[in-house]
């Protein structure tokens, strides 16, 4: 605007009238004009990004000497994995100005400035898969944890995790928060090297029933606050005994959930204490982002409690603290629109949780500890799978027995202020969406009852969901390059291929100036075809290696009577084989059984012999007769295995609990695995399924003493949304 176009200043009288009685006018202006102006500006900015590389670039930070000097003493480790916090969900990652003044994370910001920030750090697109890579140092398809539910969220029993490694070397190990890598005996943290565990009931943010080393303890108050109280109490014990420790704190914030139960609240929401939510009620934000920022500020305060305790103790000078998110931001419906997206994601990255676009897999990692320079940063290409080998090196462990080969590379050198190694500079880092295996995904089994490899369902080009192949789910980073197999959303112009009935373009991007934008302005598909082919071929080789891994695409082995425990849950969605089309997987169970002979089978091992009472947890509108077989697969096939027959009554209004009888089970001989097969032997004659929802087959050893834990099928991601979608109020334990 020129000087001639400047508006004429108002008179003093006008200003006095506004001052005396114009408050309401100002308020109306703020409520009506500002949001309209902001919307207009952000829509224009969003539209311009389709053609220009625009996004917030991190300003340089002042590098200062380490807050804590290097030490020869064995260090402690605290790893914090924040649920659904994306790269942009930090005040430090937002530019100045009114559009970005809403988000406040003072404790996180201070922490980032006191240590090392890794700006080129990658996670996986979803929760359980990221946890698998963090704990094992291996790409998640190798570990068996392939998805977030439907029985694909278990770590294979043959994997070794970081708690087992550090624990064997004299470390105290603990976990506080969200596990999400197994839901029954043999797969809980107290079975897998964590000497102390406090696991809240998932996604219940107030008055939570927590599992303390497997035993239920009802708590009062806001879950994350209670959890932090437990963490600080535990740290006080470690300060007193002066033993090295590894603490894993996977928070439930800022993931959506419920207030007190799965029926408390109008929908899957982001609850936070009222003092936080009230602050955001009258701000010019979408309700979804307002709730997110309230919950994020609440978590930031809990993180501040942890920092204050550590800094007041003698632990801080010898403890590495690391914090990252587990995947990209979960964008609710309104947050995906241009206006809220620009407010929440000023980096301009495309995609979000569930995708391999940068917004789904690029995250942050900050490290503070002995010898770590303050304000330091590194753009070395790193990922969650690098964390475990890094902790092993920092702990001074030179041999790791029984661990399968790492995919990760230790970045202890970078933490210690050294340059990236040649191996780190030349590495390829792969990402794979989980959407290629969800829905009704049942790989065929070979003669050994393990997943048959290769098979059409697992074909790189034509397997997966709807025959669209696995290629479309892959992304590859190399140096400043990013290859994207499915560039439809980013309007890529690389060579196309057929996925199902669609033509899918690939794309090669070359990032620069701190921007990670999968947009035409950074695409070099036509300019660097050799690099595109190299990364495309590397992606295919990666998938072939994952498929060849012994644990990939394998569901869990269930242990009956592990460690002499009196009860064992077989989760129904863990079936290794089902009647195609007529027995379907739910997020947390099975449905179907339409005709005589329809069945589902589970791989088991009886560890403790005994008389076992067997109970089914299900919901049904149709009564039917079922047979439950137990024993070697060959005996089940020829009809000589142990079995029980039971008529399951219909109970359409609620989840039914039906004890079908007892069986005397010997221990499974060494080297063998048995199966449980549930088969419908007589239906009602109706066309409706006999089972609306089966969630658990429960084995209880008769006469055994000790606490019995029943699996709560509401306690995992996706159940509530499935129930709402299908219009049910009492499905799967509601």
């Amino acid at each position: 605007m020129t000087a001639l176009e400047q508006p004429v200043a108002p008179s003093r009288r006008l200003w006095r009238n506004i001052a005396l009685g114009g408050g309401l006018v100002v308020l109306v202006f703020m409520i009506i004009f500002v949001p309209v102006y902001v919307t207009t500006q952000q829509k224009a900015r969003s539209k311009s990004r389709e053609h220009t590389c625009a996004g917030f670039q991190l300003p340089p930070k002042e590098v200062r000497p380490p807050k804590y000097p290097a030490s020869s003493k064995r260090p402690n480790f605290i790893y914090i994995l924040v649920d659904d916090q994306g790269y942009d969900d930090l005040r430090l990652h937002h530019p100045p100005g009114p559009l970005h003044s809403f988000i406040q994370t003072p404790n996180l910001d201070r922490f980032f400035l006191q240590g090392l920030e890794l700006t080129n750090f990658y996670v996986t697109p979803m929760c359980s898969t990221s946890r698998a890579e963090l704990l094992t140092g291996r790409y998640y398809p190798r570990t068996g944890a392939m998805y977030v539910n439907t029985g694909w969220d278990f770590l294979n029993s043959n994997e070794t995790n970081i708690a087992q490694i550090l624990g064997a070397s004299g470390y105290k190990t603990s976990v506080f928060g969200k596990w999400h890598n197994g839901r029954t005996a043999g797969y809980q943290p107290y079975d897998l090297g964590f000497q102390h565990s406090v696991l809240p009931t998932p996604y219940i943010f107030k008055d939570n029933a927590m599992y303390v080393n497997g035993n239920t303890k009802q708590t009062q108050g806001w879950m994350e606050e209670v959890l932090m109280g437990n963490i600080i109490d535990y740290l006080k014990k470690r300060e007193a005994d002066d033993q090295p420790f590894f603490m894993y704190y996977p928070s439930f914030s800022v993931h959506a959930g419920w207030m007190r139960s799965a029926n408390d609240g109008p929908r899957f929401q982001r609850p936070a204490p009222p003092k936080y939510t009230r602050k955001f009620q009258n701000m010019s934000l979408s309700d979804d982002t307002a709730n997110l920022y309230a919950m994020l500020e609440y978590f930031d305060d809990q993180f501040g409690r942890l920092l204050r305790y550590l800094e007041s103790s003698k632990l801080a000078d010898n403890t590495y603290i690391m914090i990252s998110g587990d995947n990209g931001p979960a964008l609710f419906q309104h947050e995906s629109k241009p206006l809220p997206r620009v407010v929440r994601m000023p980096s301009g990255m495309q995609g979000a949780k569930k995708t391999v676009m940068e917004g789904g897999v690029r995250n942050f990692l900050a490290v503070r500890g002995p010898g770590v320079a303050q304000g330091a940063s590194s753009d070395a290409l790193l990922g969650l799978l690098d964390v475990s080998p890094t902790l092993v090196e920092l702990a001074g462990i030179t041999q790791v027995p029984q661990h399968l080969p790492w995919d990760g590379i230790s970045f202890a050198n970078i933490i210690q202020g050294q340059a990236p190694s040649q191996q780190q500079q030349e590495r390829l880092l792969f990402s794979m969406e989980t959407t290629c295996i969800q829905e009704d995904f049942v790989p065929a089994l070979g003669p050994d009852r393990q997943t048959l490899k290769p098979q059409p369902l697992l074909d790189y080009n034509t397997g997966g969901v709807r025959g669209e192949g696995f290629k479309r789910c892959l992304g590859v980073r190399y140096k400043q390059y990013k290859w994207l197999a499915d560039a439809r959303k980013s309007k890529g112009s690389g060579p196309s291929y057929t996925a199902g009935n669609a033509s899918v373009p690939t794309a090669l991007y070359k990032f620069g100036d701190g921007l990670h934008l999968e947009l035409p302005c950074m695409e070099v598909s036509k300019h660097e075809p050799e690099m595109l082919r190299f990364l495309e071929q590397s992606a295919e080789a990666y998938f072939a290696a994952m498929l060849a891994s012994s644990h990939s695409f394998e569901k869990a082995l269930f242990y009956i009577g592990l460690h002499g425990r009196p009860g064992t849950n077989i989760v129904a969605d863990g079936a290794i084989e089902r009647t195609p089309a007529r027995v379907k997987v739910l997020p947390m169970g099975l449905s179907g059984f339409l005709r005589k002979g329809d069945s589902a089978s589970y791989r088991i091992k009886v560890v403790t012999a005994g008389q076992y009472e067997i109970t089914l947890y299900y919901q049904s509108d149709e009564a039917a007769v079922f047979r439950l077989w137990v024993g070697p697969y060959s005996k089940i096939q020829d009809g000589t295995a142990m079995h029980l027959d039971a008529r399951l009554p219909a109970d359409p209004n609620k989840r039914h609990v039906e004890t079908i009888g007892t069986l005397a089970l010997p221990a499974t001989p060494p080297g063998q695995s048995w199966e449980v097969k549930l088969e419908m032997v007589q239906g009602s004659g109706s066309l409706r399924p006999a089972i609306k929802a089966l969630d658990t087959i429960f084995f209880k050893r008769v006469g055994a003493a000790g606490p019995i834990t029943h699996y709560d099928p509401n306690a995992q991601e996706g159940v509530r949304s499935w129930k709402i979608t299908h219009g049910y109020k009492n499905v799967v334990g509601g």
Side-chain angles (χ1 to χ4, degrees):
M1 184 180 292
T2 67
L4 293 175
E5 297 170 320
Q6 293 289 343
V8 178
S11 69
R12 292 185 179 181
R13 183 176 180 181
L14 178 58
W15 277 117
R16 183 181 62 195
N17 289 340
I18 291 176
L20 293 175
L24 180 61
V25 174
V26 174
L27 179 62
V28 170
F29 176 85
M30 293 296 292
I31 292 174
I32 296 177
F33 176 75
V34 171
V36 170
Y37 173 78
V38 168
T39 301
T40 303
Q41 293 298 308
Q42 291 180 338
K43 283 183 177 179
R45 191 179 302 180
S46 177
K47 186 175 181 180
S48 71
R49 284 184 179 173
E50 294 179 4
H51 306 288
T52 61
C53 287
F56 176 59
Q57 303 173 53
L58 295 181
K61 293 183 287 188
E62 178 188 359
V63 180
R64 294 172 291 148
K67 184 176 177 66
Y68 305 101
S71 171
S72 59
K73 187 178 179 181
R74 294 192 86 184
N76 308 310
F77 304 107
I78 298 175
Y79 198 96
I80 303 168
L81 191 69
V82 191
D83 204 351
D84 280 2
Q85 184 178 8
Y87 172 87
D88 293 273
D89 293 330
L90 288 165
R91 180 67 186 90
L92 199 66
H93 287 179
H94 281 243
L99 294 183
H100 302 284
S101 62
F102 307 108
I103 182 171
Q104 297 296 324
T105 54
N107 295 299
L108 286 163
D109 294 350
R110 177 168 64 93
F111 179 80
F112 272 61
L113 295 172
Q114 290 176 343
L116 167 69
E117 180 175 2
L118 290 313
T119 61
N120 220 3
F121 185 76
Y122 283 80
V123 296
T124 81
M126 295 193 82
C127 303
S128 58
T129 53
S130 281
R131 286 157 171 74
E133 291 198 357
L134 169 65
L135 290 169
T136 66
R138 289 159 51 80
Y139 281 115
Y140 79 79
R142 294 196 198 275
T143 72
M146 307 286 293
Y147 191 51
V148 294
N149 49 37
T150 61
W152 291 110
D153 48 344
F154 288 72
L155 277 179
N156 190 280
S157 298
N158 294 300
E159 294 289 332
T160 304
N161 71 66
I162 186 61
Q164 292 167 315
I165 296 168
L166 292 176
S169 185
Y171 273 74
K172 293 283 189 179
T173 59
S174 61
V175 56
F176 297 83
K178 176 177 174 177
W179 180 239
H180 209 170
N181 280 132
R183 295 175 267 137
T184 190
Y187 300 93
Q188 297 288 5
Y190 43 79
D191 294 320
L192 296 174
F194 287 93
Q195 300 152 11
H196 184 71
S197 61
V198 180
L199 307 180
T201 301
Y203 313 116
I204 306 300
F205 285 96
K206 194 174 182 183
D207 301 340
N208 193 286
M210 298 188 181
Y211 295 87
V212 181
N213 299 321
N215 299 316
T216 306
K217 180 181 179 181
Q218 181 63 48
T219 68
Q220 301 297 316
W222 286 89
M223 178 254 281
E224 215 73 64
E225 291 180 357
V226 174
L227 204 58
M228 184 53 66
N230 277 265
I231 287 171
I232 291 173
D233 287 344
Y234 180 85
L235 290 173
K236 289 177 180 177
K237 295 176 182 177
R238 299 291 73 78
E239 184 179 11
D241 64 25
D242 199 30
Q243 286 188 267
F245 65 85
F246 164 64
M247 176 187 288
Y248 174 38
Y249 171 31
S251 72
F252 277 94
S253 298
V254 291
H255 195 291
W258 299 276
M259 191 74 77
R260 289 186 180 86
S261 74
N263 296 312
D264 187 5
R267 62 175 176 82
F268 209 40
Q269 56 192 296
R270 291 166 173 148
K275 73 174 183 178
Y276 299 96
T277 55
R278 280 195 298 265
K279 175 181 176 180
F280 290 90
Q281 282 177 349
N282 297 318
M283 292 187 177
S284 301
L285 286 169
S286 73
D287 289 344
D288 292 333
T289 303
N291 290 336
L292 180 278
Y293 284 173
M295 197 179 203
L296 182 58
E297 197 166 322
Y298 161 55
F299 171 77
D300 184 78
D301 277 355
Q302 303 315 306
F303 180 61
R305 287 176 64 193
L306 174 63
L307 294 182
R308 286 191 297 275
Y309 170 74
L310 289 169
E311 289 161 1
S312 69
S313 74
K314 63 182 182 182
L315 297 175
D317 61 357
N318 196 44
T319 300
Y320 288 102
I321 309 170
M322 303 182 181
I323 185 166
S324 73
D326 65 341
N327 43 246
L331 298 184
F332 282 12
Q333 182 178 358
H334 290 96
E335 292 177 298
S336 299
K337 296 179 180 179
L339 165 60
R341 186 180 179 96
V342 171
V343 170
R344 188 170 172 192
M345 298 182 68
S347 67
M349 291 190 299
Q350 305 297 294
K353 179 179 179 178
K354 302 183 181 180
T355 76
V356 294
M357 300 180 77
E358 291 293 278
V361 293
R362 183 190 176 212
N363 210 277
F364 56 80
L365 176 66
V367 182
R368 192 185 82 179
V372 180
Q374 299 184 75
S377 63
S378 172
D379 63 357
L381 185 57
L382 305 172
L384 272 176
L385 47 71
D386 299 326
V387 172
S388 283
T390 301
L391 301 190
V392 167
E393 182 175 350
L394 291 172
I397 300 172
T398 55
Q399 291 188 341
V400 184
Q402 298 181 331
H403 190 277
L404 295 165
W406 303 109
D407 288 314
I409 304 170
S410 169
F411 55 90
N413 58 319
I414 295 172
I415 288 176
Q416 294 164 349
Q418 302 167 23
S421 66
Q422 185 71 18
Q423 183 187 20
Q424 288 166 328
Q425 293 178 45
E426 293 295 329
R427 80 174 314 177
L428 292 154
L429 198 58
F430 299 91
S431 300
M432 188 168 97
E433 288 182 19
T434 58
T435 55
C436 281
I437 70 162
Q438 64 175 331
E439 299 181 6
D440 206 31
F441 191 85
V442 192
L445 304 180
D448 60 356
R449 302 297 286 167
Q450 303 295 310
T451 298
L452 186 65
K453 301 174 185 177
Q455 61 174 283
L457 186 64
L458 304 181
D459 186 80
Y460 182 67
N461 295 299
T462 59
V465 176
R466 296 181 297 275
E468 294 177 354
F470 286 86
K471 178 177 179 177
R472 68 180 177 86
C473 287
L474 291 173
V476 186
R477 277 297 319 272
Y478 173 67
K479 295 188 175 181
Q480 70 269 53
Y481 295 97
K482 170 73 175 282
W483 177 80
L484 198 60
D486 185 349
R488 283 175 287 187
K489 291 183 180 178
S490 58
K491 301 177 182 178
S493 60
S496 295
Y497 61 96
T498 300
N501 296 320
S503 177
V504 179
T506 59
L508 178 68
Y509 302 96
K510 190 173 185 179
F511 301 147
D513 297 325
L515 298 177
H516 291 238
L517 305 180
E518 290 145 315
L519 292 171
C521 59
M522 283 190 163
E523 188 178 359
V524 293
S525 301
K526 292 185 165 74
H527 303 292
E528 302 196 42
E530 291 185 4
M531 178 61 69
L532 187 148
R533 282 194 295 272
F534 166 64
L535 295 184
E536 186 168 17
Q537 291 167 0
S538 298
E540 187 168 6
Y542 160 82
F543 183 78
M546 296 303 104
L547 184 60
S549 298
S550 57
H551 309 153
S552 65
F553 299 102
E554 294 287 355
K555 286 200 172 181
L557 169 67
F558 294 98
Y559 298 94
I560 309 298
L562 182 67
H563 304 311
R565 292 179 192 155
T568 301
N569 295 311
I570 294 178
V571 296
D573 46 299
I576 59 172
E577 189 174 63
R578 293 178 276 122
T579 302
R582 298 201 298 272
V583 179
K584 297 184 177 181
V585 71
L586 306 176
M588 293 295 132
L590 292 181
S591 68
F593 296 94
L594 295 170
R595 302 178 190 169
K596 178 181 177 181
D598 287 355
S599 66
S601 297
Y602 304 84
R603 191 178 293 117
I604 71 162
K605 182 176 183 179
V606 180
V607 180
T608 302
Q611 191 85 7
Y612 283 87
E613 181 182 81
I614 301 170
T615 302
L616 304 183
Y617 290 72
Y618 71 97
Q619 184 172 349
S620 177
D621 294 335
E622 299 289 332
V625 178
F626 280 80
R627 177 169 294 166
L628 186 133
W629 301 88
V630 181
Y633 174 71
S634 59
K635 289 191 175 183
I636 293 174
Q637 285 297 95
D638 65 22
T640 61
M642 293 177 286
H643 63 272
L644 293 170
D645 286 354
R647 181 176 179 81
L648 300 186
D651 200 339
N653 297 318
K654 65 178 182 180
R655 179 180 184 228
H656 195 73
V657 179
E658 185 73 15
T659 298
I660 64 173
T662 62
L663 288 173
L665 302 180
T668 303
Q672 293 187 24
S673 68
W674 286 0
E675 292 185 19
V676 165
K677 180 179 181 179
L678 184 66
E679 179 182 10
M680 188 169 78
V681 294
Q682 181 182 329
S684 66
S686 168
L687 295 178
R688 295 193 297 181
I691 296 291
K692 182 184 289 184
L694 169 72
D695 60 73
T696 307
I697 304 173
F698 185 67
F699 283 69
K700 176 185 175 183
R701 198 164 81 257
V702 177
I708 297 177
T709 301
H710 291 267
Y711 166 59
D712 178 2
N714 265 323
Q716 287 292 333
E717 187 169 349
V719 177
R720 176 70 168 173
S721 59
W722 184 89
K723 291 163 72 172
I724 291 172
T725 300
H726 290 79
Y728 295 129
K729 294 181 178 179
N730 287 301
V731 175
V732 198

